[in-house]
Amino acid sequence: MIEGVDVCAIHEVAEPTPGPGEVLLAIRHVALCGSDLSTFKGLNPLVSLPRIPGHEIGGEIAAVGEGVPADYTVGRRAIVIPYTACGTCPSCRKGRVNACRSNRTLGVQQNGGLAERIVLPYGKLILNDTLAPRHLALVEPLSVGFHAAARGRVEAADTVLVLGCGMIGMGAIAGSVHRGATVIAVDIGEAKTGLARRYGAAHVIDAGKEDVAARVMELTNGDGADVVIEAVGLPATFTQAIDLVSFAGRVVYIGYAKEPVSYKTQFFNLKELDIMGSRNATSEDFQAVIRYLETLGHAPDDLISKVFPFEEADKALPYWAKERDTTVKVMIER
């Protein structure tokens, strides 16, 4: 549990019991997200403390309530869709339930999955006995990047620039490559740029060593990228996305800038840009990532930087806060 700013501790909580339409899930793996790290650092305005974090979850069915379909049997493995949808707000009425106005994500607006067991509606579980148990917890974060590629309408003819090669950026890279696009990936250091190349980026730019703008223009014959996906969340990369996208291009923002962003807005009009936000992921994105991982050809263990046993879960966020520059994904395993 995150008790306060920079403070984590392990607590005992009441044993959950599934009701009608619910499943008791024994948690096996929880991957930590940048939003969890922001909560730990006191920088997440959506969270009140104390809070049990964790929305990137893989587990095993331990019990079921009445009215749960017969295929949700004890022992089956499952991926958690950690969002809620009210069904009545403008986003839900338009079928974009991932952007529900009243969404309450596990570990953010409500307690999350970093516990031994959790009760969920069966409709929030995707059964999967094909992926390795550890990899079930990678599906949600990769889905967020896949959703950004879908928002950007990425197709095979596109050159896609991805700013940021953390886990969400890696999802955007993989999702864009999966759609056939040529990807340019930008981050600082060989650890993350090397990983981007292993997951299909045709070109990588180390922003600590190279002039990003000059290199992008060189790689695109001076046109800029057809699609820019921002997965950093800094004012500098928010404006850089506008600078480096082509005329009539598309910009997709996944990152949250913690400070106000100042733009030269004439480029919105002069380039006639499509500028889009991207939030969470849909069930279709989850299924696309599952298919991607099932056919990847190698185990995606290189996306996991550090694994902590459940008994040491309180050490995971302090570790990540210290090692953030070289960390892609921190995971807790039980």
Side-chain angles (χ1 to χ4, degrees), residues 113-195:
L114 190 49
E116 292 181 304
R117 287 171 289 279
I118 189 172
V119 166
L120 296 163
Y122 75 86
K124 292 299 179 182
L125 301 181
I126 299 175
L127 300 175
N128 186 281
D129 297 313
T130 304
L131 296 176
R134 182 179 286 186
H135 301 155
L136 299 180
L138 298 179
V139 173
E140 193 277 343
L142 289 172
S143 296
V144 175
F146 266 59
H147 184 69
R151 286 283 287 150
R153 306 188 302 278
V154 171
E155 54 188 34
D158 288 329
T159 295
V160 179
L161 175 65
V162 178
L163 301 174
C165 300
M167 191 64 178
I168 303 303
M170 287 302 304
I173 291 165
S176 298
V177 171
H178 191 58
R179 289 168 169 261
T182 299
V183 174
I184 305 169
V186 180
D187 210 307
I188 296 174
E190 172 59 30
K192 291 183 178 179
T193 56
L195 194 62

Side-chain angles (χ1 to χ4, degrees), residues 132-257:
R134 182 179 286 186
H135 301 155
L136 299 180
L138 298 179
V139 173
E140 193 277 343
L142 289 172
S143 296
V144 175
F146 266 59
H147 184 69
R151 286 283 287 150
R153 306 188 302 278
V154 171
E155 54 188 34
D158 288 329
T159 295
V160 179
L161 175 65
V162 178
L163 301 174
C165 300
M167 191 64 178
I168 303 303
M170 287 302 304
I173 291 165
S176 298
V177 171
H178 191 58
R179 289 168 169 261
T182 299
V183 174
I184 305 169
V186 180
D187 210 307
I188 296 174
E190 172 59 30
K192 291 183 178 179
T193 56
L195 194 62
R197 192 180 291 280
R198 288 199 293 276
Y199 280 80
H203 310 281
V204 298
I205 301 173
D206 186 335
K209 298 179 179 178
E210 301 179 75
D211 183 323
V212 174
R215 183 67 175 136
V216 168
M217 291 303 165
E218 177 185 348
L219 292 170
T220 61
N221 296 316
D223 289 337
D226 300 295
V227 183
V228 178
I229 300 177
E230 198 283 340
V232 179
L234 293 175
T237 48
F238 264 61
T239 56
Q240 188 176 51
I242 302 300
D243 294 338
L244 298 183
V245 71
S246 69
F247 276 66
R250 286 99 72 197
V251 174
V252 183
Y253 289 119
I254 317 175
Y256 289 0

Side-chain angles (χ1 to χ4, degrees), residues 12-63:
E12 287 191 12
V13 297
E15 180 73 25
T17 302
E22 294 180 331
V23 170
L24 178 68
L25 192 70
I27 306 300
R28 301 304 183 202
H29 295 88
V30 176
L32 295 175
C33 175
S35 65
D36 297 317
L37 184 60
S38 293
T39 299
F40 176 68
K41 300 301 294 181
L43 301 174
N44 191 337
L46 302 178
V47 179
S48 59
L49 300 177
R51 176 69 72 221
I52 298 173
H55 60 267
E56 302 172 0
I57 304 166
E60 182 179 292
I61 294 175

